[in-house]
C-alpha cells in the first residue's frame, strides 16, 4: 500500500499547479491539509519551489542593438514579393476584363445582327415544311383554316359509298 | 468574437498592442518598427531559452516578426496580441528544434572538451554536501540550469519558458501551444519533476539544511 505521507502522481501534478497559483477549490484545500500534516510532502513542495527559483540563474539574453534595424531591412524583399504578386493579379484581372469585354461585345454583335437581319430558313425547316411548300399553290386558294377543316367533314359531300 | 466573448473592438480598446498591430495591417511601416522594438527583448529571450544559441535565437525572432508582417492582412484580433505572437513563435521554435533533432549536432563527450580544457559543468562534482555554492559561480550554475532545461523535451521546455519567463498562466500557455489547460498542467508537472531530478544536487545551497524527508527521496 502507498504511504499516505508520499504524494501520488495526481497530487504531484496538483502540487505544481498549487505552487503556480493554478489550483483552487477543494483540491487546493486537500493539498494544503496534506502539506500541513506530512513533512515529506512539504519537503517535496520546497524542492520544487527551489528548483523553479534556480531558473532565475539563467541569463536574460538581450537582442543585439541593430536587431530592429536588421528586421525592418528584411521587409524589403517581402514587400517586393508582395508588389510583384499584386501586379501579377492586376494584369491577370485586366486580361480577364478584356476577355470578358470581347465576349460580351461579340455576343451583343451576334444578337444585334439576328435582330436586324431576319434569319433565312435552314435545310431542316425546309424539309419539315416540304408538303406545305409542294401544295403552296392549292393552299393559297383557301381563305382560312376553317374552310380546310370543313372539307374534311364526312357529311359535306354525302356518303358516296352508301349511294353506290 | 474572442474566446472570452469580447469583440475585436473591445479587445483593441483594451490592448494597445492590438491597436499597433492594426496599424501594421494598414501598412504603417513605423508601427511595425515600433512593434519590433516593443517585443524584441521578450521574443529573443524566449527563443534563446528554447534553442540555446544567441544567433539562432535572433534569426528565429526575426523570422517571427517577418511572419507577423506577412500575415498582417489576415490579422483579426481574437485574443491578446502577445498570445498571437507567441503562438507563431511556438510553431517556429518547435519546427526548428524538431529539424535540429533530425540533423543532430554531434556533441563532444564530457572528457573531451578540446583545447580550451574542461567546461565548467564538467568540473563540477554533483555533491551537495561539499558546498556547491562555494565552488559554483553564478555562470557555472547557469550552465547547469541551461543543461537541465535542454534535457526537457521541446514541449515541456516551451511550457516552462512561457510560464517562468513570460509569466503566462496555464490558460494562455494552452492557447499558445494549442493544448487544453489540463494538458498544460500535466506537461508543466512532468517538466518540473524532470528539472527537479536533474538539479537535485544544487537545490540546497551552502549553509542551508536539507530537510530529512528530502534526503530520503
Amino acid at each position: 500500500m502507498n504511504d499516505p505521507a508520499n504524494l501520488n502522481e495526481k497530487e504531484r501534478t496538483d502540487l505544481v499547479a498549487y505552487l503556480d497559483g493554478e489550483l483552487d477549490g477543494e483540491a487546493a484545500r486537500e493539498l494544503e491539509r496534506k502539506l500541513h500534516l506530512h513533512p515529506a510532502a512539504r519537503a517535496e513542495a520546497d524542492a520544487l519551489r527551489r528548483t523553479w527559483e534556480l531558473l532565475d540563474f539563467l541569463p536574460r539574453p538581450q537582442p543585439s542593438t541593430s536587431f530592429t534595424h536588421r528586421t525592418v531591412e528584411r521587409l524589403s524583399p517581402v514587400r517586393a514579393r508582395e508588389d510583384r504578386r499584386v501586379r501579377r493579379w492586376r494584369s491577370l484581372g485586366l486580361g480577364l476584363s478584356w476577355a470578358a469585354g470581347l465576349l460580351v461585345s461579340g455576343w451583343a454583335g451576334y444578337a444585334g445582327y439576328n435582330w436586324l437581319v431576319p434569319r433565312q430558313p435552314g435545310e431542316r425547316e425546309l424539309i419539315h415544311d416540304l408538303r406545305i411548300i409542294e401544295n403552296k399553290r392549292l393552299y393559297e386558294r383557301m381563305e382560312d383554316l376553317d374552310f380546310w377543316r370543313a372539307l374534311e367533314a364526312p357529311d359535306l359531300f354525302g356518303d358516296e359509298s352508301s349511294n353506290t | 468574437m474572442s474566446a472570452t466573448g469580447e469583440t475585436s473592438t473591445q479587445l483593441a480598446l483594451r490592448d494597445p498592442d492590438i491597436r499597433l498591430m492594426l496599424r501594421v495591417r494598414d501598412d504603417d511601416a513605423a508601427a511595425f518598427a515600433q512593434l519590433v522594438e516593443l517585443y524584441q527583448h521578450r521574443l529573443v529571450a524566449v527563443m534563446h531559452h528554447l534553442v540555446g544559441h544567441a544567433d539562432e535565437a535572433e534569426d528565429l525572432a526575426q523570422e517571427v516578426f517577418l511572419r507577423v508582417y506577412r500575415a498582417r492582412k489576415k490579422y483579426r484580433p481574437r485574443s491578446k496580441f502577445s498570445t498571437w505572437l507567441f503562438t507563431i513563435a511556438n510553431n517556429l521554435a518547435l519546427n526548428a528544434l524538431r529539424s535540429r533533432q533530425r540533423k543532430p549536432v554531434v556533441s563532444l563527450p564530457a572528457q573531451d572538451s578540446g583545447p580550451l580544457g574542461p567546461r565548467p559543468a564538467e568540473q563540477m562534482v554533483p555533491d551537495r554536501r561539499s558546498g556547491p555554492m562555494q565552488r559554483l559561480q553564478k555562470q557555472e550554475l547557469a550552465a547547469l540550469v541551461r543543461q537541465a532545461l535542454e534535457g526537457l523535451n521541446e514541449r515541456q521546455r516551451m511550457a516552462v519558458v512561457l510560464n517562468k519567463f513570460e509569466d503566462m498562466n496555464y490558460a494562455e500557455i494552452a492557447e499558445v501551444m494549442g493544448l487544453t489547460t489540463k494538458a498544460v498542467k500535466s506537461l508543466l508537472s512532468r517538466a518540473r519533476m524532470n528539472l527537479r531530478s536533474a538539479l537535485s544536487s544544487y537545490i540546497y545551497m551552502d549553509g542551508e539544511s536539507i530537510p530529512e524527508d528530502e534526503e530520503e527521496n
Side-chain angles (χ1 to χ4, degrees), chain B:
Chain B
M1 291 281 277
S2 71
T4 52
E6 286 179 289
T7 62
S8 305
T9 321
Q10 283 170 324
L11 275 167
L13 284 172
R14 260 177 1 110
D15 187 350
D17 298 343
I18 288 183
R19 291 201 295 274
L20 195 57
M21 183 59 211
L22 290 174
R23 281 172 52 205
V24 173
R25 190 178 71 178
D26 296 339
D27 290 326
D28 182 339
F32 181 75
Q34 216 177 317
L35 200 72
V36 175
E37 198 68 49
L38 205 61
Y39 276 94
Q40 55 174 333
H41 295 86
R42 288 167 65 182
L43 209 50
V44 168
V46 163
M47 287 301 190
H48 196 156
H49 290 312
L50 289 171
V51 299
H53 302 284
D55 290 344
E56 195 181 355
E58 284 211 358
D59 284 348
L60 284 171
Q62 275 194 340
E63 189 54 40
V64 171
F65 284 120
L66 290 182
R67 286 193 182 190
V68 164
Y69 187 80
R70 280 197 289 259
R72 69 193 185 287
K73 295 290 177 192
K74 292 175 195 159
Y75 177 70
R76 299 283 175 276
R78 290 191 186 93
S79 53
K80 277 166 66 181
F81 171 74
S82 58
T83 307
W84 184 63
L85 183 77
F86 282 105
T87 303
I88 297 173
N90 169 63
N91 295 336
L92 203 67
L94 292 187
N95 280 344
L97 289 168
R98 279 171 196 152
S99 74
R100 191 197 283 177
Q101 272 175 358
R102 281 195 291 273
K103 293 177 276 183
V105 177
V106 179
S107 58
L108 294 169
Q111 67 274 18
D112 186 10
S113 299
L116 297 175
R119 299 181 191 91
E122 293 162 22
Q123 290 178 300
M124 297 192 36
V125 181
D127 179 7
R128 62 187 176 208
R129 298 208 172 275
S130 60
M133 201 52 183
Q134 285 170 346
R135 288 176 288 104
L136 282 180
Q137 297 300 310
K138 197 180 169 187
Q139 208 180 343
E140 292 170 337
L141 191 53
L144 282 165
V145 177
R146 155 105 260 128
Q147 223 170 27
L149 193 64
E150 279 171 5
L152 302 177
N153 70 39
E154 62 255 27
R155 276 149 56 96
Q156 288 179 359
R157 208 182 313 168
M158 175 58 90
V160 165
V161 168
L162 293 177
N163 190 217
K164 177 71 184 174
F165 300 105
E166 276 299 313
D167 270 333
M168 283 193 187
N169 60 36
Y170 287 12
E172 286 171 320
I173 296 171
E175 199 177 339
V176 165
M177 297 184 72
L179 300 170
T180 61
T181 312
K182 202 177 164 191
V184 170
K185 185 179 168 187
S186 155
L187 194 67
L188 275 170
S189 166
R190 274 179 275 129
R192 297 270 284 260
M193 294 300 165
N194 290 341
L195 283 175
R196 193 204 135 176
S197 70
L199 295 168
S200 59
S201 308
Y202 313 100
I203 292 173
Y204 294 98
M205 303 302 182
D206 299 341
E208 287 181 304
S209 61
I210 303 155
E212 279 179 29
D213 298 293
E214 181 61 22
E215 278 189 278
E216 286 161 16
N217 286 338

Side-chain angles (χ1 to χ4, degrees), chain A residues 40-106:
Chain A
R42 274 203 303 280
E44 186 149 358
D46 189 51
L48 282 169
R49 187 181 54 76
R50 283 166 179 268
T51 306
W52 201 237
E53 284 169 2
L54 280 179
L55 293 180
D56 292 329
F57 280 91
L58 286 173
R60 190 81 179 167
Q62 295 294 316
S64 53
T65 48
S66 62
F67 183 86
T68 303
H69 177 70
R70 283 188 294 120
T71 308
V72 172
E73 259 189 353
R74 282 184 65 182
L75 288 188
S76 305
V78 178
R79 282 196 190 119
R81 233 185 341 264
E82 284 181 354
D83 285 348
R84 270 201 304 277
R85 200 178 305 140
V86 168
R87 275 201 300 274
R88 205 177 304 138
W89 277 109
R90 263 191 206 142
S91 59
L92 186 68
L94 198 68
L96 283 173
S97 306
W98 270 105
L102 280 172
L103 270 173
V104 168
S105 52

Side-chain angles (χ1 to χ4, degrees), chain A residues 59-157:
Chain A
R60 190 81 179 167
Q62 295 294 316
S64 53
T65 48
S66 62
F67 183 86
T68 303
H69 177 70
R70 283 188 294 120
T71 308
V72 172
E73 259 189 353
R74 282 184 65 182
L75 288 188
S76 305
V78 178
R79 282 196 190 119
R81 233 185 341 264
E82 284 181 354
D83 285 348
R84 270 201 304 277
R85 200 178 305 140
V86 168
R87 275 201 300 274
R88 205 177 304 138
W89 277 109
R90 263 191 206 142
S91 59
L92 186 68
L94 198 68
L96 283 173
S97 306
W98 270 105
L102 280 172
L103 270 173
V104 168
S105 52
W107 177 83
Y110 177 74
Y113 174 81
N114 277 348
W115 184 64
L116 290 172
V117 182
R119 202 162 59 91
Q120 294 299 314
E123 193 176 323
R124 193 186 294 172
E125 283 92 342
L126 289 173
I127 291 168
H128 182 263
D129 298 335
L130 183 62
R131 279 194 63 199
I132 299 172
I133 295 164
E134 281 172 346
N135 298 304
K136 187 170 175 271
R137 212 164 34 84
L138 295 171
Y139 293 148
E140 277 173 351
R141 293 186 185 175
M142 285 190 302
E143 288 173 6
D144 51 30
L145 273 174
D146 290 336
F147 174 74
W148 176 256
R149 286 193 190 104
L151 283 178
E152 281 200 331
D155 53 347
L156 183 65
F157 299 105

